[in-house]
């Protein structure tokens, strides 16, 4: 019989710390009793800390397993549409045919943005990074929905989730069009979610005979699914922490976008392509690997805080990469270079000892490049897709009582000292 309590003895005092089991994965030790102990827990980077309970996504890093509401990621990516996965993240399970039709229609209804929003873009330089634009514009969305910003109102929360999932592709495409100096394209009601995004990205008003490409559409939709959610990663934790203050959901999602931008997180897909460009050819791989082992650089797209095995998303991404390149008749030397890097890394003790495997970002950039998406848009697409995960966690937080997140610290600064006038300072 497993213990129901952990015991902590410190300074002659013994504390009973309840052990709480979930449905899957590690149990947790409730350390609230530390409040009386005169100690804080200390866990830089939250390597062993679970700040929340959640029912949305489960990851088994050792097995390389990822479940969204219990459904394995490869089965979702290969069989469901992204919006079905978004529905499952929001509502707890895949939609029935009727629920799917209703949800898809609701999303379609909210894909346009207020025409005044176009003026926001004009304040940016044409060469602004699209992630800088997205942080600004998404945060500003709250200025357009004053009547639906009461976070304690369930209907306001629900319509905001719909608006954010529906409008992210429109805003993402606008950030790209603006950088190209091309006119914005309006969403079409006869296109599905991925088709609309690609249309708004690549069509122009002159394209009277714009044609969808089913292979690219399916690949895009799969990429959205593979990025939809991932438990309590840095950007999702940011959304939750911002949400714990009662901030409006647009501000919380903008905070998530900002956190995702970092190269250690969602910015890695862009960094992988830059790394492949820097290496150039397969002949240069050994020299580059020496730089990695001497810790001059990291092998971008490799390693993960949770996966100490293959990232299951990377495997689906690699299959999709092969499909897209074959269907488009593209022989991208970057794919060959990436596979050479992967092969060497998977056989090299430096990587094996550190459990460093390809993660979701390693192959995504190659597919996105093959689809014609510029590197600067890679993380924007990650943010677009992750919005369904972020807002599902925000909704989950609001579905039960919560407290403002307020971590403590280990203080190692100056002890108390008196003020010194400037003329007396040495
Ligand atoms: C995402 O959390 C999520 O779920 C994120 C994500 C999601 O969907 O939300 O999955 C998306 O962010 C994927 C990760 C994308 N980032 C990258 O590909 C950037 C390269 N990866 C590393 O920066 C790193 O692996 C992290 C940030 C992803 C994980 O860092 P950790 O868990 O803090 O690991 P660590 O830094 O403690 O590394 C352990 C060891 C160290 O070596 P030692 O000091 O012990 O000798 O492994 C080394 C690290 O230096 N290491 C790497 C490496 N990653 C870790 N060495 C070379 N190349 C790498 N990529």
């Amino acid at each position: 019989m497993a213990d129901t309590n952990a015991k902590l003895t410190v300074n002659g005092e013994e504390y009973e710390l309840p052990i709480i089991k979930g449905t899957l994965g590690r149990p947790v030790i409730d350390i609230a009793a530390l409040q009386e102990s005169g100690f804080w827990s200390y866990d830089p980077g939250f390597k062993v800390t679970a700040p929340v309970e959640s029912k949305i996504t489960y990851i088994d890093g050792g097995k390389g397993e990822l479940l969204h509401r219990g459904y394995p990621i490869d089965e979702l990516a290969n069989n469901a549409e992204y919006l079905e996965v978004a529905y499952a993240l929001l509502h707890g399970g895949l939609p029935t045919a009727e629920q799917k039709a209703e949800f898809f229609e609701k999303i379609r209804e909210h894909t346009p943005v207020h025409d005044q929003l176009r003026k926001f873009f004009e304040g940016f330089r044409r060469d602004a990074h699209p992630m800088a634009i997205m942080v600004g514009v998404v945060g500003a969305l709250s200025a357009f929905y004053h009547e639906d910003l009461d976070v304690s109102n369930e209907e306001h929360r629900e319509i905001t989730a719909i608006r954010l999932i529906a409008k992210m592709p429109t805003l993402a495409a606008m950030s790209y069009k603006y950088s190209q100096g091309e006119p914005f394209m309006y969403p079409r009601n006869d296109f599905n979610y991925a088709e609309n995004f690609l249309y708004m990205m690549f069509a122009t008003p002159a394209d009277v005979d714009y044609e969808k490409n089913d292979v690219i559409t399916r690949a895009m939709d799969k990429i959205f699914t593979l990025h939809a959610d991932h438990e309590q990663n840095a950007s999702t934790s940011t959304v939750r922490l911002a949400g714990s203050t009662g901030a409006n959901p647009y501000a919380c999602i903008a905070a998530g976008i900002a956190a995702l931008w970092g190269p250690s997180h969602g910015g890695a897909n862009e960094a992988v392509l830059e790394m492949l460009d820097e290496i150039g050819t397969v002949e240069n791989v050994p020299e580059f690997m020496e730089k990695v082992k001497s810790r001059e650089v990291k092998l971008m797209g490799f390693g993960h805080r949770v996966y100490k095995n293959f990232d299951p998303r990377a495997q689906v991404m690699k299959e999709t990469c092969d499909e897209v390149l074959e269907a488009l008749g593209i022989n991208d030397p970057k794919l060959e270079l990436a596979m050479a890097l992967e092969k060497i890394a998977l056989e090299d003790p430096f990587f094996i000892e550190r459990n460093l495997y390809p993660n979701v970002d390693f192959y995504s950039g190659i597919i996105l490049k093959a689809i014609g998406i510029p590197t600067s848009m890679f993380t924007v697409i990650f943010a677009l897709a992750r919005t369904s995960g972020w807002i599902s966690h925000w909704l989950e937080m609001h579905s039960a009582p919560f407290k403002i997140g307020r971590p403590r610290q280990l203080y190692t600064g100056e002890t108390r000292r008196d003020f010194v006038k400037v003329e007396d300072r040495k």
Side-chain angles (χ1 to χ4, degrees):
M1 171 73 176
D3 292 339
T4 53
N5 284 344
K7 290 183 178 56
L8 172 70
T9 304
V10 60
N11 283 355
E13 294 288 331
E14 181 170 288
Y15 299 89
E16 294 272 333
L17 305 177
I19 291 172
I20 309 169
K21 290 187 177 56
T23 42
L24 291 171
R26 284 194 187 191
V28 296
I29 297 175
D30 181 337
I31 57 171
L34 278 185
Q35 183 76 30
E36 313 311 321
S37 70
F39 290 85
W40 303 128
S41 67
Y42 186 59
D43 179 22
F46 303 120
K47 287 199 168 191
V48 292
T49 294
V52 295
E53 173 188 336
S54 180
K55 297 175 171 41
I56 298 173
T57 288
Y58 171 71
I59 302 171
D60 181 324
K63 281 169 45 183
E65 182 178 46
L66 169 58
L67 308 177
H68 290 319
R69 299 291 189 182
Y71 307 107
I73 186 62
D74 56 324
E75 292 184 29
L76 290 172
N78 292 324
N79 300 292
E81 291 181 66
Y82 167 73
L83 283 184
E84 291 180 273
V85 177
Y87 183 96
L89 293 172
L90 288 167
H91 299 293
L94 287 168
T96 61
E98 188 183 343
Q99 289 165 336
K100 175 179 173 181
E102 185 189 348
F103 183 66
F104 279 40
E105 179 50 34
K106 262 190 205 165
I107 294 292
R108 193 174 294 120
E109 187 186 319
H110 288 276
T111 49
V113 293
H114 193 294
D115 217 40
Q116 201 69 3
L117 256 176
R118 303 154 62 90
K119 297 190 183 334
F120 277 75
F121 289 80
E122 287 156 21
F124 290 100
R125 287 175 29 170
R126 288 283 180 179
D127 62 351
H129 194 292
M131 282 295 279
I133 296 176
M134 292 299 285
V135 171
V137 175
V138 172
L141 274 179
S142 57
F144 290 82
Y145 300 108
H146 292 301
E147 68 288 354
D148 291 328
L149 281 184
D150 175 0
V151 297
S152 65
N153 180 322
E154 187 175 0
E155 284 179 14
H156 289 192
R157 297 199 298 266
E158 295 293 339
I159 185 58
T160 301
I162 294 287
R163 279 181 173 139
L164 277 162
I165 294 170
K167 296 179 192 309
M168 282 299 278
T170 308
L171 295 171
M174 290 170 80
S175 69
Y176 171 66
K177 283 298 197 188
Y178 184 73
S179 72
Q180 299 301 301
E182 292 179 9
F184 298 140
M185 296 301 288
Y186 284 89
R188 292 176 46 162
N189 285 338
D190 59 333
F191 280 1
N192 69 32
Y193 195 79
E195 285 167 349
N196 239 335
F197 174 63
L198 292 165
Y199 170 74
M200 292 186 283
M201 280 283 291
F202 297 122
T204 67
D207 275 331
V208 292
D209 52 0
Y210 173 85
E211 278 198 20
K212 300 178 284 190
N213 177 312
D214 292 341
V215 171
I216 294 180
T217 298
R218 184 68 196 122
M220 192 76 257
D221 194 82
K222 258 192 196 180
I223 288 170
F224 289 159
T225 293
L226 292 171
H227 289 86
D229 190 53
H230 212 241
E231 199 209 70
Q232 306 307 323
N233 58 84
S235 54
T236 299
S237 300
T238 300
V239 170
R240 280 182 174 258
L241 193 56
S244 75
T245 71
N248 79 67
Y250 301 100
C252 296
I253 300 300
I257 297 173
L260 183 74
W261 197 358
S264 290
H265 190 15
N269 49 22
E270 186 173 350
V272 166
L273 261 289
E274 287 158 4
M275 173 184 74
L276 294 176
D277 282 338
E278 182 199 334
I279 297 170
T281 65
V282 176
E283 291 66 40
N284 296 335
V285 168
E287 182 191 350
F288 181 81
M289 284 307 206
E290 286 316 307
K291 282 165 72 175
V292 172
K293 292 180 194 174
S294 62
R295 291 178 184 66
E296 271 182 71
V297 294
K298 286 209 189 270
L299 186 57
M300 300 312 278
F302 263 71
H304 199 278
R305 170 63 58 76
V306 176
Y307 291 120
K308 300 310 173 192
N309 194 322
F310 264 87
D311 179 335
R313 301 168 297 174
Q315 293 185 289
V316 179
M317 199 70 85
K318 171 81 175 56
E319 290 157 16
T320 309
C321 195
D322 292 340
E323 288 162 16
V324 168
L325 295 184
E326 188 185 336
L328 298 178
I330 295 174
N331 177 20
D332 186 346
K334 282 197 175 51
L335 176 63
E336 192 190 327
L337 183 52
M339 290 168 67
L341 273 173
E342 181 187 47
K343 184 175 182 314
I344 291 169
L346 295 180
E347 292 163 359
D348 187 307
F350 176 89
F351 295 90
I352 296 167
E353 286 157 12
R354 291 168 177 79
N355 294 309
L356 301 178
Y357 291 90
N359 59 48
V360 67
D361 293 304
F362 190 60
Y363 284 106
S364 58
I366 295 167
I367 310 175
L368 292 171
K369 181 175 170 291
I371 291 176
I373 294 189
T375 310
S376 63
M377 284 293 292
F378 289 4
T379 311
V380 172
I381 286 168
F382 196 148
L384 183 169
R386 186 54 58 90
T387 296
S388 56
W390 287 331
I391 201 67
S392 297
H393 282 271
W394 182 81
L395 289 171
E396 181 175 67
M397 188 185 76
H398 276 280
S399 66
F402 61 89
K403 286 191 171 303
I404 190 169
R406 190 358 181 137
R408 302 307 302 269
Q409 64 179 8
L410 171 67
Y411 177 72
T412 55
E414 294 287 342
T415 55
R416 186 184 181 85
R417 52 182 171 168
D418 295 332
F419 176 79
V420 180
K421 290 194 182 109
V422 65
E423 56 271 22
D424 299 333
R425 292 170 205 159
K426 306 278 182 287

